[in-house]
């Protein structure tokens, strides 16, 4: 995995290597992956504040285990997903409603209409079962292949393919044809 | 009318990108980043983060576990020593019931160190005459 050390330059950053100090390596990971992780968490749980808390926990855990982690982005991804699982479990327990985070609506023009269309899709996505939602986000947002998704979610590749198929059908049934 | 799989996929991708773009536009909250990590972990392990990464063992949890084990063993020994042992009435090993209201009964001052010969480690109950109420 490559992280940018200098602007426009990619260098290999291996935890514990002599080339980049541990703290500097962590800084690089933070700079490169903080936004994608928050984006992933927002897509999974819907609430911005909650998503940021999940990501903070993930980075804290990464720093604590920095010396033993071979693949920081992979660790972060799994940690964020597991953190989102905890959020869902707490929601079921507390039976509390967490409003879905709304992106800025903007002014009364085309961006507003586009935003509403996307909000409709995201609301439909959040009505899907958790596993289907995760698979769709990892596949279509993080561009992971079936093998990578299987590794992250600790399921088989055949399960990934089946889940993607079911999820696409379920999403289509929730969306209205315009 | 339901949306086909391909159309749903297309709209999903667009929605995900739009959502991600909005997150990026809002920026990431600064305190999402763990800061002052060295201070955060000093209490945790009694060492700085730098010392932890040098591979030194975390001695505090080990010492705590050892203390807990030692306390558990000591407590078990106390319980074993104070548990009333079953002896036949009138046997030399009989000792009075640990009942607060039962008066302490001896016919003569103890002539030997506290203990009634049962061999109990912590038993300090003096001998009582045979036939005495237990």
């Amino acid at each position: 995995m490559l992280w940018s050390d200098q602007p426009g330059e990619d260098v290999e950053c291996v935890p514990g290597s002599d080339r980049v100090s541990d703290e500097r390596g962590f800084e690089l990971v933070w700079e490169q992956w903080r936004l994608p992780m928050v984006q992933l968490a927002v897509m999974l749980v819907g609430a911005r504040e909650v998503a940021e808390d999940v990501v903070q926990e993930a980075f804290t855990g990464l720093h604590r285990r920095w010396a033993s982690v071979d693949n920081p982005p992979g660790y972060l991804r799994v940690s964020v997903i597991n953190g989102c699982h905890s959020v869902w479990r707490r929601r079921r327990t507390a039976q509390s409603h967490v409003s879905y985070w709304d992106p800025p609506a903007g002014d009364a023009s085309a961006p507003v209409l586009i935003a509403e269309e996307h909000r409709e899709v995201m609301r439909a996505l959040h009505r899907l079962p958790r596993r289907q939602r995760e698979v769709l986000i990892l596949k279509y947002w993080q561009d992971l292949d079936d093998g990578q998704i299987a590794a992250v979610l600790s399921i088989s590749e055949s399960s990934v393919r089946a889940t993607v198929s079911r999820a696409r059908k379920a999403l289509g049934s929730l969306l209205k044809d315009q | 009318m339901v949306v086909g799989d391909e159309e749903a996929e297309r709209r999903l991708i667009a929605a995900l990108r739009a959502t991600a773009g909005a997150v990026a536009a809002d920026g990431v909250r600064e305190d999402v980043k763990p800061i002052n990590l060295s201070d955060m972990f000093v209490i945790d392990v009694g060492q700085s983060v730098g010392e932890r990464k040098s591979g030194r063992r975390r001695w505090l949890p080990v010492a705590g576990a050892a203390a807990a084990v030692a306390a558990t063993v000591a407590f078990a020994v106390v319980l074993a020593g104070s548990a009333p042992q079953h002896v036949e009435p009138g046997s030399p090993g009989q000792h009075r019931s640990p009942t607060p209201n039962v008066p302490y009964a001896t016919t003569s001052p103890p002539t030997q160190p506290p203990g009634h010969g049962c061999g109990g480690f912590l038993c300090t109950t003096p001998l009582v005459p045979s036939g005495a109420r237990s």
Side-chain angles (χ1 to χ4, degrees):
Chain A
M1 195 65 179
L2 301 181
W3 291 273
S4 173
D5 191 16
Q6 299 294 334
E9 178 181 330
D10 288 341
V11 295
E12 185 173 344
C13 173
V14 177
S17 68
D18 295 332
R19 188 169 188 173
V20 180
S21 69
D22 286 345
E23 288 300 322
R24 178 60 181 151
F26 182 81
E27 288 287 336
L28 291 175
V29 171
W30 161 255
E31 290 296 327
Q32 185 166 352
W33 290 97
R34 61 178 179 174
L35 182 58
M37 289 300 118
V38 172
Q39 291 169 332
L40 173 63
V42 167
M43 293 173 190
L44 287 171
V45 299
R48 176 66 183 261
E49 290 286 331
V50 175
E52 290 176 334
D53 289 342
V54 169
V55 172
Q56 183 183 46
E57 288 287 333
F59 273 100
T60 301
L62 174 64
H63 193 282
R64 187 176 288 127
R65 300 174 181 85
W66 179 255
S68 61
V69 173
D70 295 329
N71 181 13
Y75 176 92
L76 286 172
R77 189 178 290 120
V78 173
S79 188
V80 166
I81 290 175
N82 290 338
C84 293
H85 288 180
S86 299
V87 171
W88 292 320
R89 280 195 295 271
R90 284 197 297 270
R91 284 179 182 174
R92 280 204 304 271
T93 302
Q95 296 184 347
S96 60
H97 170 70
V98 178
S99 60
Y100 177 64
W101 169 76
D102 248 352
D107 55 3
S109 61
V112 175
L113 299 177
I114 295 174
E116 178 55 37
E117 172 189 351
H118 297 319
R119 278 197 292 269
E120 178 192 349
V121 174
M122 295 307 289
R123 279 192 289 267
L125 179 67
H126 277 258
R127 290 175 61 186
L128 295 178
R130 173 179 59 84
R131 181 53 53 85
Q132 292 183 7
R133 183 164 64 244
E134 289 173 347
V135 167
L136 288 182
I137 291 172
L138 292 175
K139 182 177 180 65
Y140 293 112
W141 166 241
Q142 300 245 302
D143 293 327
L144 302 184
D145 59 30
D146 292 347
Q148 292 171 316
I149 296 174
V152 170
L153 299 180
S154 300
I155 59 177
S156 64
E157 287 192 39
S158 59
S159 295
V160 171
R161 285 189 289 271
T163 304
V164 168
S165 177
R166 284 196 300 270
R168 289 173 62 184
K169 284 185 172 53
L171 186 65
S173 66
L174 292 173
L175 294 175
K176 297 178 182 178
D177 191 18
Q178 297 182 359
Chain B
M1 183 176 179
V2 298
V3 174
D5 290 1
E6 290 186 2
E7 176 66 12
E9 178 182 324
R10 184 193 67 78
R11 291 171 63 178
L12 174 62
I13 292 173
L16 291 173
R17 288 177 179 170
T19 301
V23 173
D26 283 353
V28 176
R29 204 176 72 205
E30 279 306 312
D31 60 355
V32 172
K33 176 183 178 182
I35 58 175
N36 298 326
L37 289 166
S38 296
D39 295 336
M40 182 187 299
F41 288 112
V42 163
I43 297 176
D44 185 19
V45 299
Q47 299 167 328
S48 67
V49 173
E51 288 175 331
R52 284 189 66 235
K53 290 180 178 177
S54 69
R56 290 167 61 172
R57 285 185 170 276
R58 297 173 57 172
W59 57 268
L60 267 178
V62 175
V69 169
T72 303
V73 170
F75 185 62
V77 169
V78 169
L79 282 182
S82 63
Q85 299 185 17
H86 177 71
V87 293
E88 294 299 324
S91 68
Q94 180 187 25
H95 56 87
R96 70 181 176 90
S97 170
T99 308
N101 295 328
V102 175
Y104 187 82
T106 54
T107 56
S108 62
T111 58
Q112 54 187 320
H116 62 288
C118 76
F121 180 69
L122 295 179
C123 181
T124 59
T125 306
L127 289 170
V128 295
S130 62
R133 181 163 174 257
S134 63

